[in-house]
Amino acid sequence: MRLHRLTLRNFRGVKDRTVDLPGIGTTVIVGDNEVGKSSLVEAFALVFDFPDDSKSTRIRDIQPVGQDVAPEVTVELTLGGRELAYTKRWLKNRSTELSVVEPDGRRQTFTGREAHNEAERLFAENVDPVLWQTLMVGQGQSLVLPTPADAEPLITAVTAESGTPVDGASMPLVTAVEHEYLRYWTRGGRPTGDFAKSAQHVAAAELAAEQALKAMDEVLADIRRAERLALDLADLSGRLDAHLVSVEGLREKKKATDEILLRRDSIRSRAETARARLENHTRTRLERERLLVDVERFTKADAELAERWKHADQTARKAAETVHAAEAALAEVVELKDERRGEVQDVERLVSSLMDRAELDRLLGQQAELIDVRARIAAAGAVLDAILVDDALVNALEDARAKVVEARAALAAGVPEVSVRRLGGEAVELSGTGLDAGSSKVPSSLGEDGSVELLVSGELVVGVPGAVEVRVRAGGEAATLRAAVDEAVRREKDLLKKARVKDLPAARELLRKGDLASAELQEARRTERSLTSGGDPAERIALLTSRLGFVEGEEAEQPPAKQQAPVEDVPGQMSLFEQFEPDENAFDFADLEIPEPMDVGELAVAQRRLENARSGLAEAESLLADAEFAAAQARKAADEDRSEAQQARARAELAGERLAAAVESLEAARSLLADDDVEGAEVEATGEVEAVLEELTAVQEQVDEAGADQVAGELADALAVATRLQGERDVLRDSLRTTEGRLEQSGRDGLATRRDTAELDLAALRTEHESLKRRADAAHRVYETLGRHRAEAQTKYSEPLQTRIEALGRSVYGPSFRVWLDDDLAVAERELDGARLRVEALSTGAQEQLAIITRLAISHLVSTGEGSVPIIFDDALGWSDKARLRDMGALLGRAGDHGQVIILTCMPDRYEYVPRATYIKLES
């Protein structure tokens, strides 16, 4: 199993947090207290253990206090080769969602209780619960040593590595043997059940028989015992005497060899002293040779550096003189430049004044043109504001006109057309409904020789009073055609009213005039933008007149504003004949005295003078630049020469100091020992060392020949044997005295009958008990045999875990570190530097370190299997000193190379020695 991402929302004090975890390596999650580190581990456990409808106290406890919100957890992980994304929300808007991506890429999605059951099944199928609980170390649990004997992945891993087969089929046999064994024996090996009762009966019978036989056999037994004790006592006394003689011999031998050992120790001490003296003389010779080389080297360097100093000082003096001459020339050129700059400034002021006059003349002309352009803009805008016709409206009018024509054509084709003409002097009257005479009005009567043509969509009555009356009626379709004509005409009239024109040609003419006004407006605005691109000329004119000092005069006559030509009469339009009025806010020139235009030749003369002055200034600046460059170069050269002289002086003084120190050290060494005596003292010390070593070799040969190193041990062993023999002799002597006392007090009255009765009862009980005992012994032998083989197998398959723990521990404690495991594969004892202790006797820090090392070893063993899980430490290493933190940090870093190690802490300094760790900072 590998954790990739964990997201918490509304979980205890965490509002919304997502933590991404590397699939392999050591990750250190850092955060202050109560920031929600432990909540990450708790959330992972709850999401698999509790469905979304759970009312458990553990679920209610994770809801933030005082907030009616839904705790939510999302975990993304790899489980058994599958990629899982599992989300669960409790208490409000409950939901469970599970997405599973199979190794072949197939994706499955589950929701609700089905998702919970599937996730629970996958977790139980791929994660061993004992291993998971073993490697997930919660807060305050870092001191608990793991006992992972029931973790199936670990048993599989150590079995595979040790080569010990685990035959599951043998378990029923072991169970049957154990059941049979417990019929006769307790687990501690004591008889039980019928077998125990039979043994008790036999014991009671034996006790009775013993009591009966005791009186008869006691004397004979005591006699035999007394004879045996006497023989044993005599034999033991003889052996003790002989052994005491050999002890005395060993004591004499030890006295003789002690003198040789003392001589060897004395010679060893002399050899160490001689070696130290030789090393001291060798160091003295090497130091003397170094001092002679330093004096020679420093003497040569002192002479060379003194000569360099002298030459550098002369060069620096010459450079200073060059700098003085260059600075004098520079001062003369600066004075010339200042004079020519003043001349340029005077001419520039004159040219600036003349250019302002020329600019003022240009701006006055531009301002007059701008006034004219703005009048054109206002007039064109007024025309456009008054025109309500646009392209869309004209198009709509054209469509309406076409529909009227079409409707009338349809009407003419679908209704009767009647032509009425008056021929005589009698009056002809016309009346009716739905009559259309085209553009003419339908008359009520016809004058002489009058005529009319009518389209009848309703009824026409033609009558000659008192003579004839003719009625003409249209068909049923005529009403529909008439309605279409009326609707088309109404639509056309509405659009003409909206456009405020009398007919379509008038609208077209008005649209044309609008296009002309729009083009005029755009052209005028472009001209205005061009004239004002550099700013409003009026403001510039006011500034220039003020700068040039023109005095305000009496109000001058303002030229009349240019009037907008009247708009041509447009049919159907009103209010388009007004003239354009000038803007009241336009710039008023009445208060300005406008000067006469400037003579152009005056500005040209001033500009030529300015060019000449600037040319002279440029020439002076060129001379100044050359002089400044020459002065700067001279100063730079002088600074470099002065720096070089100072450095040469410093180097010369330093060389002198080194030479003096070397000479002083050499003289001090020679005052202690002359040069010629140094090598001789070393040769003499070498000879002394060789002589002492020869003497030590000779004495060691004597020690080996005499066996002096073994005599002390032999004597100690012999004294221990003597003490034991003396104790055995005293015991035999006391036993013999007791037996002889009992013989003096024995009696034999009525003992034969009691003995016979007891023997018969005992024989019957023994027959029954022997039958039970044979079955019990058989069960015991089979049980012990199976137990012995199981213990041997367990010892063998526990070796990989023990070896891995010792390998990791030695990287922290050194090569003397060893451990012993119990039947549950838990560490029971630890040995360090020869001291073997129970785990309970270790310090708190040592127990915590051992618990972490054990979990890392377990994780390493199962890291490549399907049942592997991450190892998690919450707030560990709180009892370790700085040296142990360094070693444990390196160990945690290496553990990340084999699997996923997650560390949660509020003290990041504890893990600063973890190499290649990924740090994740949790903010509150």
Side-chain angles (χ1 to χ4, degrees), residues 691-830:
V692 172
L693 291 177
E694 289 179 0
E695 185 177 357
L696 179 61
T697 300
V699 172
Q700 184 62 44
E701 290 177 354
Q702 294 178 8
V703 170
D704 294 341
E705 183 178 355
D709 289 332
Q710 292 80 28
V711 170
E714 293 175 357
L715 178 60
D717 293 341
L719 288 174
V721 172
T723 301
R724 179 176 58 80
L725 292 176
Q726 287 174 347
E728 292 177 359
R729 182 191 60 184
D730 294 340
V731 170
L732 287 174
R733 185 179 294 161
D734 292 341
S735 298
L736 180 58
R737 291 172 181 171
T738 301
T739 302
E740 290 176 346
R742 282 199 304 271
L743 288 174
E744 293 177 356
Q745 299 176 0
S746 61
R748 301 180 180 85
D749 295 341
L751 297 181
T753 302
R754 289 173 54 195
R755 180 196 63 187
D756 294 340
T757 302
E759 286 179 350
L760 291 174
D761 294 340
L762 178 60
L765 291 172
R766 278 179 174 172
T767 300
E768 181 182 357
H769 180 67
E770 284 299 327
S771 176
L772 289 174
K773 188 173 184 305
R774 283 192 297 273
R775 293 194 295 270
D777 289 344
H780 193 280
R781 283 193 297 274
V782 173
Y783 180 78
E784 282 189 340
T785 302
L786 287 176
R788 185 172 62 257
H789 286 292
R790 288 183 65 194
E792 292 173 356
Q794 182 181 17
T795 301
K796 187 174 182 181
Y797 77 67
S798 67
E799 287 180 1
L801 178 59
Q802 179 178 346
T803 302
R804 197 63 51 88
I805 294 173
E806 290 178 347
L808 296 178
R810 285 165 185 165
S811 66
V812 176
Y813 296 101
S816 65
F817 176 85
R818 289 190 64 192
V819 295
W820 283 265
L821 307 183
D822 59 17
D823 294 342
D824 293 328
L825 298 182
V827 177
E829 297 177 0
R830 187 208 71 178

Side-chain angles (χ1 to χ4, degrees), residues 418-422 430 443 445-454:
V418 179
S419 177
V420 181
R421 184 176 182 183
R422 181 176 174 180
L430 301 176
S445 63
L446 296 177
E448 293 183 3
D449 297 328
S451 65
V452 65
E453 292 182 352
L454 299 173

